[in-house]
Amino acid sequence: SRVVLWDKDVGHFWMAATYEKYLSTGVRSLFNIVLFEEGELRGVKKMNHMSGNMNSLSQFVTGFNPELEPYFSVSKFKLPVINTLRKI
């Protein structure tokens, strides 16, 4: 099974075809072919394959020459208003 969220520029998808016994059957490739065809019809130029949490999927996705992007980032900054309020 799969879950796909489409926005204007990107298709974000999660795939559940990860049972080790069946990985060599081609089901992941078939899912991707259908997904990429659907993305092409929608005019989507980029696919975000969520797979970093599973070793077998991560290995599979690296075959597509992916650009790795973090899910989130953390930064620290100071707001003058908050610092002023703390002094009160």
Side-chain angles (χ1 to χ4, degrees), residues 57-73:
L57 282 178
S58 294
Q59 290 176 357
F60 177 73
V61 171
T62 58
F64 294 100
N65 195 19
E67 292 179 23
L68 299 178
E69 297 179 18
Y71 289 121
F72 64 92
S73 63

Side-chain angles (χ1 to χ4, degrees), residues 10-85:
V10 181
H12 307 271
F13 65 102
W14 295 262
M15 191 180 305
T18 59
Y19 187 57
E20 296 284 338
K21 182 177 176 181
Y22 299 112
L23 291 180
S24 63
T25 65
V27 69
R28 288 189 301 187
S29 297
L30 178 60
F31 273 168
N32 282 322
I33 290 168
V34 171
L35 184 68
F36 296 155
E37 288 174 347
E38 187 175 349
E40 185 177 27
L41 290 173
R42 292 173 176 267
V44 169
K45 303 291 184 201
K46 186 174 180 181
M47 302 300 282
N48 182 13
H49 191 311
M50 307 301 255
S51 63
N53 298 336
M54 299 193 70
N55 189 37
S56 61
L57 282 178
S58 294
Q59 290 176 357
F60 177 73
V61 171
T62 58
F64 294 100
N65 195 19
E67 292 179 23
L68 299 178
E69 297 179 18
Y71 289 121
F72 64 92
S73 63
V74 178
S75 62
K76 180 180 178 180
F77 60 93
K78 295 182 179 182
L79 296 174
V81 173
I82 291 176
N83 290 335
T84 303
L85 291 173

